[in-house]
Amino acid sequence: MVQQEPEELLEMSSETRSILEEHHLRPLWEVEDDMGRVYGDLEPNVWKWEDLQTAIDAIEEDVPIADLPPGFQRRVAVPINTSLGNAISNTIYVGVQTVSPGETAPAHRHGANALRFTIDGNEEMKTVVAGEEFPMENNDLITTPQWEWHDHVNDSDETAAWLDVLDLPLVLDSLNAKNTFEYHELERQPVTKTQGYWDSQYGRGRPAEEAKRDDIPGPFEGIQDPTPPYRFGWDEMVESLEQRAENDEPDPNDGYSLSYVNPASGKPPLFPTMSFRAQLLREETDPHFHNATEVYFVIEGEGATHVGDEALEWSQWDLFVVPPDQIHHHEPDGEAMLLGITDRPVFEAFNLYAEAEPSS
Ligand code: GTQ
């Protein structure tokens, strides 16, 4: 039998084509070329703090929060990957937010999970989540779980800046999830708990009966182990990293690393959609690659992360992205600490996570 050329084999008569078109159908062999093309290939990139700082200073000067149009109403400089229009990656969003002395970023809630990692904060800069004021001190990580009211209130005399991390592109673009945003009727939600309340429910000591979130309301009622409002103080985290460095072997790819746990389950990931690691690097890590995306924030130190043929050089407070499937490893210059952010839990939830070492 003579092998036919694919074009001949696949060509449809115009009659067949119009029958399919009339009924809103297309043949797979044509559709398949369009699959996996909604997003361009993510590019490795680094955003230097110097440039981020210039940008947040400029918008702070120019645009009071009170003047922002309806929407999220947050003054944020958002790193944009050139292959996408609205975020650093197609799952994870990061932004650098500022609130000036006396300003409030007004209360709202949404279905997307969020957290703050404080860059330049103080005790009088508070993010108010689920009725409690959480002070934002440097390197504190504070959760804003889905559907909890949150507003950011600067009662200090210095501008505060922090990193916002949300699963917005996954929720709003990939899942196209609607009806999951509300404004509070007040600019500042009422403070109904004393500072430390959520830690009394989900910290190391807990009520004997199951901790209760009064009011996880509406669409998200009844979900399993919802991430609670919680502040991970940096002092404890850094102490534990040093303990690991003194006693344990480093992870070959991540150095001395600690995952932030969901305090409700006691295990990572912190959110079903995103996992977070504090990483202490003292030596070069081994190269590997995986289909999850990683975003890094440099907590301290300097070095480079090699991604494919590129070296992303970084120093304190820079942000960078490692795209899926690109071979990468870290090369700290001395000791460095990173916040590692990954969408790996999404892949794992669907048995899709894949990781490998490069073949030498
Ligand atoms: O502070 O609640 O960067 O809702 C994007 C969306 C921050 C916030 C962002 C948000 C917030």
Side-chain angles (χ1 to χ4, degrees):
M1 209 172 84
V2 182
Q3 190 84 38
Q4 281 180 289
E5 287 298 308
E7 297 89 67
E8 288 171 50
L9 191 77
L10 301 181
E11 197 43 76
M12 286 186 290
S13 71
S14 55
E15 207 174 320
T16 306
R17 183 173 296 283
S18 55
I19 290 171
L20 276 110
E21 276 172 12
E22 189 188 340
H23 300 291
H24 304 284
L25 298 165
R26 289 177 70 197
L28 174 61
W29 63 88
E30 291 183 9
V31 169
E32 68 189 25
D33 287 340
D34 291 342
M35 288 183 177
R37 288 175 187 271
V38 170
Y39 304 110
D41 283 336
L42 210 60
E43 288 165 25
N45 202 0
V46 56
W47 284 259
K48 304 297 294 174
W49 176 252
E50 206 186 321
D51 303 331
L52 290 165
Q53 170 113 61
T54 306
I56 58 174
D57 288 351
I59 53 174
E60 186 193 2
E61 183 97 340
D62 220 19
V63 187
I65 295 174
D67 287 2
L68 294 174
F72 286 118
Q73 293 182 320
R74 300 295 194 249
R75 187 174 53 227
V76 183
V78 181
I80 302 295
N81 203 289
T82 45
S83 66
L84 303 162
N86 61 3
I88 199 167
S89 83
N90 56 293
T91 50
I92 298 161
Y93 156 106
V94 293
V96 181
Q97 179 166 177
T98 54
V99 177
S100 310
E103 277 190 317
T104 295
H108 69 202
R109 63 182 179 182
H110 39 68
N113 288 293
L115 66 69
R116 326 284 147 208
F117 191 87
T118 315
I119 300 172
D120 190 4
N122 64 75
E123 218 186 343
E124 294 305 317
M125 172 68 229
K126 284 156 307 194
T127 183
V128 188
V129 187
E132 179 178 338
E133 296 176 311
F134 291 89
M136 302 179 81
E137 306 223 51
N138 291 3
N139 299 336
D140 286 351
L141 183 154
I142 300 157
T143 63
T144 306
Q146 53 178 182
W147 216 241
E148 294 291 4
W149 295 115
H150 54 287
D151 41 290
H152 314 306
V153 177
N154 192 344
D155 285 334
S156 80
D157 51 14
E158 282 169 45
T159 296
W162 60 84
L163 186 71
D164 291 317
V165 187
L166 292 93
D167 49 17
L168 286 175
L170 180 73
V171 171
L172 296 185
D173 290 329
S174 299
L175 300 177
N176 198 18
K178 309 282 191 200
N179 296 321
T180 56
F181 181 90
E182 270 179 17
Y183 296 113
H184 202 284
E185 56 191 15
L186 303 170
E187 186 184 47
R188 298 183 172 196
Q189 69 179 290
V191 174
T192 56
K193 317 266 193 251
T194 52
Q195 283 188 16
Y197 173 76
W198 285 113
D199 193 54
S200 78
Q201 303 299 296
Y202 289 98
R204 304 241 167 118
R206 307 188 174 196
E209 71 278 15
E210 212 175 319
K212 197 159 109 233
R213 291 202 11 226
D214 318 350
D215 157 349
I216 318 182
F220 305 107
E221 202 177 346
I223 49 180
Q224 184 73 27
D225 288 335
T227 309
Y230 202 77
R231 171 179 162 273
F232 295 86
W234 180 243
D235 291 352
E236 268 186 51
M237 218 60 194
V238 94
E239 164 67 20
S240 297
L241 281 175
E242 279 160 11
Q243 289 292 338
R244 289 219 61 189
E246 288 308 311
N247 297 282
D248 294 343
E249 289 299 314
D251 177 276
N253 308 115
D254 296 327
Y256 302 101
S257 159
L258 291 171
S259 293
Y260 289 84
V261 300
N262 171 357
S265 68
K267 291 184 296 212
L270 182 54
F271 296 118
T273 49
M274 298 181 288
S275 194
F276 297 81
R277 296 183 301 260
Q279 297 175 227
L280 171 63
L281 303 175
R282 288 190 171 166
E283 55 208 48
E284 199 168 345
T285 62
D286 291 346
H288 74 157
F289 63 103
H290 40 67
N291 51 9
T293 295
E294 285 176 326
V295 177
Y296 287 93
F297 174 72
V298 182
I299 298 170
E300 230 175 83
E302 49 195 87
T305 295
H306 301 268
V307 185
D309 300 334
E310 275 191 62
L312 305 177
E313 309 253 353
W314 42 257
S315 54
Q316 194 179 35
W317 299 354
D318 293 351
L319 271 164
F320 60 96
V321 59
V322 178
D325 286 323
Q326 300 213 6
I327 297 167
H328 60 278
H329 75 278
H330 305 298
E331 188 184 8
D333 186 359
E335 184 170 292
M337 281 191 280
L338 302 177
L339 176 71
I341 308 164
T342 170
D343 60 3
R344 177 173 171 168
V346 180
F347 287 79
E348 287 177 334
F350 301 106
N351 297 340
L352 284 169
Y353 182 70
E355 171 182 340
E357 282 165 29
S359 45
S360 39

